[in-house]
Amino acid sequence: MHIHKFERFWINLSYVLIAFFIASVVYGFVVMDLKVIGDYKTIDPQNLHETEFGNPGVRAVTKNGETEYEVYVQTIQFAFAPGTAQPITVPANTRVTFYITSPDVLHGFDVVGTNLNTMAIPGQIAKMTTIFPEVREYGIVCNEYCGPAHHVMEGKINVVPKSEFDKTNLVE
């Protein structure tokens, strides 16, 4: 069987592209040590009330003599808790770790204007750590379709100066 030279070119290019895509995934996991979202921790989505997610919000923790903050967020159809009715308030230039999960369906957690973006999968906890360098308000949007009111699922993160951070907003 005779294969035309242009067909042979496209067949060979397809093999090269497939090999490149496989190699890039292997490189990411082996060399760059990338992880999938489920590598952090799993949880029973029906019993979130028995965990830190039962009282979502900002918590102060001390690590190596430095005060850091942990934010526990539930993504619920069609709101962020906290974040929708009450904004998440954190101090600027401080390490903040977000723990995000969902009790119902797949959601997105995208902090607009940053590289913070993850999926909230029922039964899994997503973990992201950042330092907000400037005082400003950030929007949170759900970027995974979660139902008919998905378009109204939004929240806020208020980053305030350390001197103005009110520790009475912390949860125990």
Side-chain angles (χ1 to χ4, degrees):
M1 169 172 30
H2 173 72
I3 299 176
H4 193 271
K5 65 180 179 178
F6 291 120
E7 288 178 338
R8 186 181 327 267
F9 169 78
W10 288 111
I11 291 171
N12 290 334
L13 181 63
S14 298
Y15 288 141
V16 169
L17 287 174
I18 290 169
F20 172 76
F21 292 140
I22 291 172
S24 66
V25 170
V26 170
Y27 177 81
F29 280 101
V30 174
V31 177
M32 297 179 66
D33 197 30
L34 297 178
K35 303 284 187 227
V36 293
I37 190 170
D39 282 355
Y40 174 64
K41 191 175 174 184
T42 59
I43 193 169
D44 180 7
Q46 303 304 315
N47 295 316
L48 292 183
H49 61 280
E50 298 173 1
T51 67
E52 299 90 348
F53 292 99
N55 188 16
V58 181
R59 293 171 174 79
V61 293
T62 303
K63 294 182 181 177
N64 302 325
E66 296 285 326
T67 301
E68 299 179 5
Y69 295 91
E70 294 179 343
V71 182
Y72 289 86
V73 180
Q74 280 192 42
T75 56
I76 309 163
Q77 286 185 318
F78 297 98
F80 296 101
T84 301
Q86 173 187 358
I88 299 168
T89 303
V90 295
N93 296 310
T94 306
R95 183 177 298 276
V96 179
T97 302
F98 290 90
Y99 298 93
I100 301 153
T101 193
S102 170
D104 48 25
V105 298
L106 180 76
H107 294 281
F109 185 87
D110 183 15
V111 181
V112 180
T114 70
N115 63 352
L116 295 175
N117 184 0
T118 191
M119 291 170 53
I121 301 172
Q124 295 184 0
I125 298 174
K127 177 183 175 184
M128 301 182 299
T129 301
T130 191
I131 296 173
F132 293 104
E134 62 183 274
V135 174
R136 68 177 269 202
E137 183 179 276
Y138 292 92
I140 308 169
V141 295
C142 177
N143 57 1
E144 297 289 338
Y145 182 74
C146 56
H150 161 75
H151 64 283
V152 298
M153 189 170 171
E154 58 184 25
K156 290 182 184 174
I157 298 175
N158 289 331
V159 180
V160 298
K162 285 183 184 182
S163 60
E164 295 178 17
F165 182 67
D166 184 5
K167 294 192 180 206
T168 60
N169 291 332
L170 299 175
V171 294
E172 299 298 320

